[in-house]
Amino acid sequence: MTGKTRLLNNVSRRKFVAGASALGLGMGVAPFISRRAMASGEVKVLNWQGYGTDEKWALDAFKAATGLDVVHEYYNSEAEMITKLQTNPGVYDVIVTNCAWNGRASELGVVQPIDTAKISHFADLNPAFRDSNLLNVDGKTYGVAWVWGITAIAYSTDVFKDAPKSLEVLWDAKNAKRVALRDDAIEAVSFAALATGQDMNHPKDLAKVKEKLLALKPNVALLWSSEDEWNKQFQAKAFDVSVYWSGSALRSKTNFKLPVGYVVSDEGGVGWFDGLAIGKDAPNADGAHKFIDYMIDPTYYVEWATKVGAPASANTKAMAALPDSDPSKAFYADEAAIKRLQYMAPLSDEERQAYSDLWTEVKTEYAK
């Protein structure tokens, strides 16, 4: 996704500082007062661009209800998100944090505990996400569960008359040059670990993971990087089976009318969920709590899901409120499939580097 930085109005800032000086206020105090004055009327959000929090119709409805404007700044990776929080303390009110990164943010002290009593829909959240130790530390909540999803197997229903049951479909010789993978080190390692019966987050035998990925070479037709690329290549029949995101697969089927089936294999799939955090020294913490509550409100979610397409809501009442015709309602209600998931967990810097190095070596072999 493309990041976009919203800059402060320099003219207004200069006028304020000049006025403060005329009143005899110290220059060191001016930025603090400016930030707090602005905060009373806005909520600053840090997120991926185009990911739920910046829908214009939603922000218009939120402002009508609260009087608050919502302004955004974007990041292109979770690592960039952490860097922004570290280098711009006291700037952001609400931050979207993945379950594998929320703990890192709280450990670094760049997000603050959330007063869940101010979140009216908090009790309606699925306990599996709401109470996860990936969002809660020492009895304090550092992220309010927002949405969740699955990374598993998408396939062409024109080619596969029955849903594949095993991850071994990716390695099946019948699918030579018909398999697509996302060009992502952690995801590649995760699925090779699942296929070799290991913990997907912390596989003990990386040599076996590498061997499994190298064995996939004859079948790899595409390493994709975006949903748009996936749809175009699938429509062009460049591949028949792929590792893919659940929400994207549903959009490919419903919005683009592509013959996409989706299944969590017997070996399992990757589960993930995102939380909504509040920045340390947030300029408008009260507004942040209001915005988080709005984001998990069933009324907002149903409109997002039906108008645009969204991951599954962590709010059980929001999922129940979806129209019965919505395919995601039945898909995300498959408890047996959900139990086969392993959820993304925090990784050490050493693990991330090791997975990156391994994937680079594997791709070099793919290119030969």
Side-chain angles (χ1 to χ4, degrees):
M1 298 180 183
T2 303
K4 177 182 178 184
T5 303
R6 302 250 180 151
L7 300 177
L8 294 174
N9 186 312
N10 289 328
V11 174
S12 295
R13 184 179 176 84
R14 282 197 300 271
K15 285 182 178 178
F16 175 83
V17 172
S21 298
L23 292 171
L25 296 175
M27 288 298 292
V29 180
F32 174 81
I33 296 176
S34 176
R35 187 165 66 238
R36 293 296 174 186
M38 286 173 32
S40 63
E42 72 177 33
V43 176
K44 183 73 174 283
V45 178
L46 182 63
N47 189 9
W48 301 94
Q49 188 171 22
Y51 187 37
T53 64
D54 56 0
E55 294 290 337
K56 184 180 184 304
W57 53 267
L59 302 189
D60 288 345
F62 179 72
K63 182 173 182 178
T66 65
L68 295 169
D69 287 305
V70 178
V71 296
H72 275 78
E73 188 170 320
Y74 301 107
Y75 56 79
N76 296 304
S77 69
E78 282 88 356
E80 183 186 356
M81 175 264 291
I82 292 292
T83 298
K84 283 179 175 291
L85 292 174
Q86 288 181 301
T87 56
N88 300 291
V91 168
Y92 307 107
D93 297 305
V94 176
I95 305 100
V96 174
T97 57
N98 178 265
C99 60
W101 286 86
N102 187 272
R104 180 63 172 159
S106 61
E107 175 187 316
L108 291 171
V110 292
V111 294
Q112 63 175 281
I114 295 169
D115 184 353
T116 59
K118 294 182 178 179
I119 310 295
S120 66
H121 301 286
F122 191 74
D124 299 329
L125 298 176
N126 187 324
F129 307 122
R130 181 192 65 205
D131 303 335
S132 170
N133 60 9
L134 298 176
L135 298 179
N136 298 271
V137 180
D138 296 331
K140 296 179 180 179
T141 297
Y142 287 90
V144 173
W146 181 36
V147 292
W148 66 279
I150 299 168
T151 306
I153 300 298
Y155 60 93
S156 169
T157 54
D158 288 344
V159 175
F160 294 87
K161 301 309 176 186
D162 297 310
K165 292 185 177 181
S166 172
L167 284 179
E168 288 303 316
V169 67
L170 301 175
W171 283 267
D172 192 328
K174 295 178 182 178
N175 297 317
K177 295 299 179 184
R178 304 307 300 164
V179 173
L181 300 175
R182 184 160 75 103
D183 187 1
D184 182 86
I186 293 173
E187 192 167 287
V189 168
S190 296
F191 274 90
L194 287 171
T196 55
Q198 300 187 67
D199 179 339
M200 75 167 204
N201 292 299
H202 312 291
K204 293 183 178 180
D205 193 340
L206 280 180
K208 186 177 287 187
V209 166
K210 182 178 179 180
E211 180 183 7
K212 191 67 174 175
L213 288 172
L214 288 173
L216 195 55
K217 178 181 177 179
N219 288 10
V220 175
L222 172 71
L223 296 179
W224 58 275
S225 59
S226 71
E227 182 174 328
D228 179 64
E229 180 185 13
W230 194 97
N231 283 327
K232 288 176 179 176
Q233 293 296 324
F234 184 83
Q235 190 169 33
K237 301 186 185 301
F239 62 91
D240 301 322
V241 61
S242 173
V243 173
Y244 201 32
W245 305 311
S246 55
S248 298
L250 288 167
R251 281 190 293 275
S252 297
K253 181 177 180 178
T254 58
N255 295 358
F256 297 98
K257 310 305 179 186
L258 298 176
V260 179
Y262 198 78
V263 64
V264 176
S265 70
D266 291 343
E267 297 90 345
V270 176
W272 58 267
F273 55 97
D274 287 336
L276 297 162
I278 297 179
K280 177 88 158 87
D281 297 325
N284 191 355
D286 184 61
H289 282 85
K290 291 177 181 176
F291 188 67
I292 289 173
D293 201 34
Y294 176 67
M295 283 288 107
I296 63 173
D297 188 309
T299 301
Y300 161 73
Y301 176 75
V302 170
E303 194 164 359
W304 180 27
T306 54
K307 272 188 175 181
V308 183
S313 176
N315 187 335
T316 55
K317 289 186 176 180
M319 293 303 292
L322 286 172
D324 292 337
S325 59
D326 192 307
S328 64
K329 189 170 185 176
F331 176 80
Y332 290 114
D334 187 346
E335 292 294 337
I338 292 170
K339 287 180 180 178
R340 296 198 295 275
L341 300 177
Q342 290 187 33
Y343 285 91
M344 295 175 68
L347 302 176
S348 68
D349 292 341
E350 292 75 18
E351 286 174 317
R352 290 183 183 280
Q353 188 62 54
Y355 301 168
S356 177
D357 292 344
L358 186 154
W359 183 232
T360 298
E361 292 171 9
V362 168
K363 289 197 296 180
T364 299
E365 291 299 316
Y366 285 174
K368 291 182 178 178

